[in-house]
């Protein structure tokens, strides 16, 4: 039996410059992944952001690809997309826990990541959460990434106005 819940999703933020995001997509369940990408692309295009898409084999590779992209490119944010469907072994827990933990650690290091990796019991649940005409979790993850970019932009602007700002450089022997 499902219980109706009241939620308060934030609206898509607006920006004064064009942001560049990377959609990192685990393509293991390609039919679901494609729908998640579609939802994310619609939200990013509506916000005036540009994006690239990078496919990786599965959810465990998503955080590694984001980390590599952050070191090698100039993206403002990332959207992690994919699907993990419970099987008959404990591999489901391993993939869900480790991919999520790695994405969270990257976020705590300052990367702006919207996590749209579905973790579901069956393919039917995945289809509902990836439905482009419903509440597509790819689109929701894109909005989350945009909000984190907005937060980082707001806090960076505020931090430029506070703190110690030396007028010259003082070396260790200058005194």
């Amino acid at each position: 039996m499902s219980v109706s819940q009241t939620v308060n999703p934030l609206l898509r933020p607006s920006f004064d410059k064009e942001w560049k995001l990377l959609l990192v997509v685990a393509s293991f369940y390609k039919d679901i992944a494609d729908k998640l990408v579609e939802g994310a692309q619609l939200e990013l295009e509506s916000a005036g952001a540009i994006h690239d898409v990078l496919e990786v084999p599965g959810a465990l590779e998503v955080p590694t690809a984001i980390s590599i992209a952050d070191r090698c490119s100039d993206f403002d944010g990332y959207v992690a997309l994919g699907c993990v469907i419970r099987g008959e072994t404990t591999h489901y827990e391993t993939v869900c826990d480790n991919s999520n933990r790695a994405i969270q650690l990257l976020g705590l290091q300052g990367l702006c990541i919207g996590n749209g990796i579905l973790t579901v019991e069956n393919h039917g649940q995945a289809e509902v959460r990836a439905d482009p005409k419903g509440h597509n979790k790819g689109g929701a993850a894109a909005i989350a990434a945009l909000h984190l970019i907005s937060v980082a932009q707001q806090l960076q602007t505020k931090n430029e106005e506070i703190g110690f700002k030396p007028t010259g450089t003082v070396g260790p022997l200058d005194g």
Side-chain angles (χ1 to χ4, degrees):
M1 176 187 232
S2 72
V3 176
S4 178
Q5 297 178 358
T6 303
V7 295
N8 182 32
L10 294 174
L11 300 177
R12 182 185 323 110
S14 59
F15 300 98
D16 57 355
K17 81 172 233 185
E18 187 174 69
W19 297 105
K20 183 178 178 185
L21 289 91
L22 179 64
L23 307 181
V24 180
V25 186
S27 59
F28 191 80
Y29 295 103
K30 184 135 178 70
D31 61 326
I32 299 298
D34 288 346
K35 291 176 183 176
L36 293 170
V37 168
E38 181 182 345
Q41 288 174 326
L42 287 171
E43 288 297 339
L44 294 177
E45 290 166 5
S46 294
I50 59 173
H51 65 277
D52 288 333
V53 178
L54 176 66
E55 286 192 22
V56 297
L60 286 175
E61 291 77 35
V62 170
T64 302
I66 291 172
S67 180
I68 292 168
D70 190 59
R71 287 192 310 272
C72 300
S73 60
D74 63 344
F75 292 100
D76 299 299
Y78 303 90
V79 182
L81 300 172
C83 180
V84 184
I85 299 175
R86 185 179 299 279
E88 296 177 3
T89 69
T90 60
H91 185 64
Y92 173 84
E93 284 83 9
T94 299
V95 174
C96 293
D97 292 347
N98 289 321
S99 62
N100 186 57
R101 183 174 296 116
I103 289 170
Q104 187 67 36
L105 289 172
L106 290 169
L108 292 172
Q109 293 173 13
L111 277 66
C112 299
I113 306 171
N115 188 347
I117 297 177
L118 304 179
T119 54
V120 296
E121 298 294 320
N122 55 57
H123 198 271
Q125 289 178 349
E127 288 175 338
V128 169
R129 288 157 180 79
D131 182 1
K133 295 182 174 111
H135 184 66
N136 181 287
K137 298 297 183 179
I143 291 173
L146 292 171
H147 276 286
L148 290 171
I149 293 168
S150 177
V151 167
Q153 179 186 16
Q154 291 171 31
L155 294 176
Q156 181 179 9
T157 302
K158 289 180 181 179
N159 285 338
E160 290 173 356
E161 300 171 4
I162 59 174
F164 176 70
K165 305 263 193 284
T167 56
T169 304
V170 178
L173 302 176
D174 294 338

PDB file of all heavy atoms in Angstrom, residues 168-175:
ATOM      1  N   GLY A 168      50.712  42.476  -0.486  1.00  0.00           N
ATOM      2  CA  GLY A 168      51.952  42.056  -1.139  1.00  0.00           C
ATOM      3  C   GLY A 168      52.307  40.649  -0.717  1.00  0.00           C
ATOM      4  O   GLY A 168      51.698  40.079   0.174  1.00  0.00           O
ATOM      5  N   THR A 169      53.317  40.117  -1.335  1.00  0.00           N
ATOM      6  CA  THR A 169      53.745  38.777  -1.002  1.00  0.00           C
ATOM      7  C   THR A 169      54.891  38.852  -0.001  1.00  0.00           C
ATOM      8  O   THR A 169      55.853  39.582  -0.203  1.00  0.00           O
ATOM      9  CB  THR A 169      54.216  38.022  -2.256  1.00  0.00           C
ATOM     10  OG1 THR A 169      53.147  38.051  -3.199  1.00  0.00           O
ATOM     11  CG2 THR A 169      54.597  36.612  -1.943  1.00  0.00           C
ATOM     12  N   VAL A 170      54.762  38.122   1.071  1.00  0.00           N
ATOM     13  CA  VAL A 170      55.790  38.078   2.092  1.00  0.00           C
ATOM     14  C   VAL A 170      56.381  36.678   2.084  1.00  0.00           C
ATOM     15  O   VAL A 170      55.667  35.702   2.266  1.00  0.00           O
ATOM     16  CB  VAL A 170      55.212  38.390   3.488  1.00  0.00           C
ATOM     17  CG1 VAL A 170      56.288  38.288   4.549  1.00  0.00           C
ATOM     18  CG2 VAL A 170      54.579  39.756   3.497  1.00  0.00           C
ATOM     19  N   GLY A 171      57.665  36.589   1.827  1.00  0.00           N
ATOM     20  CA  GLY A 171      58.331  35.298   1.808  1.00  0.00           C
ATOM     21  C   GLY A 171      58.731  34.897   3.206  1.00  0.00           C
ATOM     22  O   GLY A 171      58.656  35.696   4.160  1.00  0.00           O
ATOM     23  N   PRO A 172      59.229  33.675   3.393  1.00  0.00           N
ATOM     24  CA  PRO A 172      59.557  33.185   4.729  1.00  0.00           C
ATOM     25  C   PRO A 172      60.694  33.949   5.395  1.00  0.00           C
ATOM     26  O   PRO A 172      60.761  34.028   6.600  1.00  0.00           O
ATOM     27  CB  PRO A 172      59.938  31.723   4.502  1.00  0.00           C
ATOM     28  CG  PRO A 172      60.098  31.545   3.034  1.00  0.00           C
ATOM     29  CD  PRO A 172      59.393  32.670   2.370  1.00  0.00           C
ATOM     30  N   LEU A 173      61.563  34.586   4.615  1.00  0.00           N
ATOM     31  CA  LEU A 173      62.696  35.317   5.204  1.00  0.00           C
ATOM     32  C   LEU A 173      62.493  36.817   5.201  1.00  0.00           C
ATOM     33  O   LEU A 173      63.347  37.564   5.662  1.00  0.00           O
ATOM     34  CB  LEU A 173      63.995  34.983   4.434  1.00  0.00           C
ATOM     35  CG  LEU A 173      64.377  33.495   4.401  1.00  0.00           C
ATOM     36  CD1 LEU A 173      65.601  33.302   3.533  1.00  0.00           C
ATOM     37  CD2 LEU A 173      64.618  32.970   5.793  1.00  0.00           C
ATOM     38  N   ASP A 174      61.354  37.293   4.704  1.00  0.00           N
ATOM     39  CA  ASP A 174      61.110  38.730   4.597  1.00  0.00           C
ATOM     40  C   ASP A 174      60.524  39.334   5.854  1.00  0.00           C
ATOM     41  O   ASP A 174      60.279  40.516   5.901  1.00  0.00           O
ATOM     42  CB  ASP A 174      60.149  39.010   3.414  1.00  0.00           C
ATOM     43  CG  ASP A 174      60.784  38.668   2.075  1.00  0.00           C
ATOM     44  OD1 ASP A 174      62.028  38.634   2.007  1.00  0.00           O
ATOM     45  OD2 ASP A 174      60.034  38.428   1.121  1.00  0.00           O
ATOM     46  N   GLY A 175      60.231  38.566   6.820  1.00  0.00           N
ATOM     47  CA  GLY A 175      59.706  38.986   7.913  1.00  0.00           C
ATOM     48  C   GLY A 175      58.985  39.504   8.875  1.00  0.00           C
ATOM     49  O   GLY A 175      58.583  40.096   9.613  1.00  0.00           O
TER      50      GLY A 175
END
